[in-house]
Amino acid sequence: MQRSLLQDGPDMLWVERRGMETRCGRRRLRLTAMKLPCSFWFLLLFGAGGLVLFIHLQDLSEMVQQQVPAGMKLRGSPKEASRKDLCADHRDELRSEPGPDQRSNGERSRSPSSPQGLDLSSARVTKGHRKLLLKSASQEVARGSWGRLLQIQEARKGLMRHVCGRYRGRSARTITPQHVSRIYVEDRHKLLYCEVPKAGCSNWKRVLMVLQGLAPSTQEIQHDAVHYGNHLRRLDSFDRRGIAQRLETYTKVLFVREPLERLVSAFRDKFENPNTYYHPVFGRPIISRYRANASQEALKTGTGVTFKEFVQYLLDVHRPVGMDIHWEPVGRLCSPCLLDYDFIGKFETIEEDANFLLSRLGAPPNLTFPSFKDRNPHAERTSAHITQQYFTKLNSSERQRAYDFYYMDYLMFNYSKPFKDLY
């Protein structure tokens, strides 16, 4: 037995020696680690945090890929889409849009609150992820909307120039103060706005007053202050040099409306409601000229003008009273063929067009185009349907002549024929 212990002794000594060396090595490692500088530990912790953040972003990237709106195809790597492919998809979306003005007259712009197909109720989407996705989605919608609206503007201006070039002739005309008498000036943002009555001009004047610093918001400006306060300067109040300089460097803006709808809106506003100016100044001569056996009361007050009598006055080359800006064609009111406007908005999409323009001008972010109706607020707004009802009171010849009266406006601003029997 003594021999066995002697024989096993070297092995036992070797095992015990290895254990002592291991324990000593660990002790030296701990002592060395304790002597390392703080910067090493900071770098070590920073690297670990970066690794955790990288893994988190990878998960978020995969989630966004799964939540891509319907219709947007990401080619190549599942985690990254090339700029070329995204641009191609955007061009396809623009081509799939309806024509610049193929909307119905009553259609209004709509801005989706989130892209189609984006499911924000998924259990995997945290509150932080939801904010990130909504922000990215709103930016994508804004970029797509701006591209579409820029395309519409180019189409509208191109059509206006084409029609002007075709019908204006080759003779050059000099711009006179009379050509710019309906244009309002806002110098802070270098804006020129041509007033087209019954096409949102009251609210546009409110916007100009806010831009100019005359009021904090559009809601605080009353109707009389807009039209009778003389707070805004017109372009014809400047000298010729001032007019030419502003026409050359400012953004020239024009908003239009379907011509016959604008006509009906003007008639309803001025002749179907009490009015101390239009009834005596226009109503009395119209009734006297076009109504047989008119009563003395009607001849005295000028109230009760019918739409048929009003259209007869409009189409008469020997009118008993002159033209008025509320129903004068835009082609004569704002001289678009001579002034070459930079922006053409439409009453049918006025809020979308106006807010797009304001954003491009650098207007305050809280300033948006107002939608309220301050004159006769309880009356229904004139629409395509109401316009049809008024024109059924006329015969086909009168409808055709009314359309011919505004024919250039229909051509220049791409409005379709409102009645089937027109040629």
Side-chain angles (χ1 to χ4, degrees), residues 146-206:
W146 274 45
R148 177 177 60 84
L149 293 174
L150 284 171
Q151 185 190 41
I152 288 174
Q153 279 303 308
E154 290 304 313
R156 289 176 182 173
K157 291 186 291 185
L159 176 62
M160 182 187 69
R161 290 164 185 160
H162 171 75
V163 173
C164 289
R166 181 176 179 181
Y167 291 93
R168 183 177 56 178
R170 298 181 179 179
S171 59
R173 293 169 58 189
T174 302
I175 298 175
T176 66
Q178 183 179 0
H179 290 123
V180 297
S181 62
R182 306 310 311 176
I183 295 180
Y184 288 88
V185 180
E186 202 287 291
D187 284 315
R188 282 189 176 184
H189 297 81
K190 297 186 176 182
L191 176 64
L192 300 178
Y193 165 72
C194 185
E195 174 190 27
V196 177
K198 313 313 297 179
C201 68
S202 297
N203 282 335
W204 254 116
K205 289 179 183 178
R206 288 184 172 91

Side-chain angles (χ1 to χ4, degrees), residues 388-402:
Q388 293 274 349
Q389 290 179 342
Y390 275 79
F391 272 87
T392 57
K393 303 172 184 178
L394 309 180
N395 58 44
S396 59
S397 175
E398 290 169 328
R399 287 196 295 271
Q400 181 66 51
R401 292 177 61 204

Side-chain angles (χ1 to χ4, degrees), residues 23-36:
R23 287 192 295 272
C24 291
R26 291 176 180 172
R27 189 176 296 111
R28 283 195 300 270
L29 182 61
R30 285 196 297 268
L31 291 174
T32 303
M34 291 175 63
K35 294 179 182 179
L36 289 175

Side-chain angles (χ1 to χ4, degrees), residues 78-334:
K79 293 181 171 50
E80 181 178 6
S82 68
R83 183 183 300 272
K84 180 178 179 181
D85 289 338
L86 287 175
C87 290
D89 287 332
H90 182 61
R91 287 194 299 270
D92 292 338
E93 289 175 19
L94 290 179
R95 284 196 294 268
S96 66
E97 285 285 335
D101 300 307
Q102 293 176 2
R103 308 178 183 189
S104 61
N105 291 335
E107 184 178 356
R108 296 293 183 267
S109 61
R110 294 183 295 272
S111 298
S113 58
S114 61
Q116 257 188 343
L118 187 59
D119 182 13
L120 299 183
S121 63
S122 172
R124 295 184 58 190
V125 181
T126 65
K127 185 177 180 180
H129 294 165
R130 185 179 293 109
K131 289 182 179 179
L132 177 61
L133 290 172
L134 285 175
K135 182 178 180 180
S136 301
S138 62
Q139 291 173 348
E140 184 66 29
V141 169
R143 285 193 294 268
S145 178
W146 274 45
R148 177 177 60 84
L149 293 174
L150 284 171
Q151 185 190 41
I152 288 174
Q153 279 303 308
E154 290 304 313
R156 289 176 182 173
K157 291 186 291 185
L159 176 62
M160 182 187 69
R161 290 164 185 160
H162 171 75
V163 173
C164 289
R166 181 176 179 181
Y167 291 93
R168 183 177 56 178
R170 298 181 179 179
S171 59
R173 293 169 58 189
T174 302
I175 298 175
T176 66
Q178 183 179 0
H179 290 123
V180 297
S181 62
R182 306 310 311 176
I183 295 180
Y184 288 88
V185 180
E186 202 287 291
D187 284 315
R188 282 189 176 184
H189 297 81
K190 297 186 176 182
L191 176 64
L192 300 178
Y193 165 72
C194 185
E195 174 190 27
V196 177
K198 313 313 297 179
C201 68
S202 297
N203 282 335
W204 254 116
K205 289 179 183 178
R206 288 184 172 91
V207 170
L208 294 179
M209 291 173 69
V210 173
L211 288 174
Q212 199 163 304
L214 301 175
S217 69
T218 56
Q219 285 75 15
E220 299 182 17
I221 306 174
Q222 300 299 318
H223 182 270
D224 288 347
V226 170
H227 291 283
Y228 311 118
N230 295 321
H231 298 294
L232 300 170
R233 289 192 68 177
R234 295 185 184 180
L235 190 54
D236 63 346
S237 66
F238 295 87
D239 58 21
R240 289 187 178 275
R241 182 178 179 181
I243 292 174
Q245 186 267 337
R246 285 169 174 81
L247 286 174
E248 181 68 25
T249 60
Y250 284 22
T251 301
K252 300 181 289 295
V253 176
L254 173 64
F255 271 75
V256 299
R257 186 176 184 177
E258 204 283 335
L260 295 188
E261 184 177 308
R262 175 174 166 247
L263 178 68
V264 171
S265 177
F267 172 78
R268 296 177 69 204
D269 182 29
K270 305 306 179 187
F271 295 101
E272 291 187 344
N273 295 287
N275 195 297
T276 58
Y277 174 76
Y278 283 91
H279 289 186
V281 173
F282 285 87
R284 284 192 297 191
I286 288 175
I287 291 174
S288 176
R289 178 72 171 264
Y290 306 107
R291 184 181 298 181
N293 303 320
S295 68
Q296 290 300 314
E297 181 68 17
L299 291 172
K300 180 180 178 180
T301 63
T303 59
V305 173
T306 66
F307 185 66
K308 187 178 182 70
E309 292 168 343
F310 174 65
V311 173
Q312 285 180 295
Y313 143 78
L314 181 74
L315 302 177
D316 193 344
V317 294
H318 302 291
R319 298 184 189 94
V321 62
M323 182 59 66
D324 184 82
I325 63 171
H326 287 82
W327 44 83
E328 187 165 15
V330 176
R332 292 203 291 264
L333 191 64
C334 294

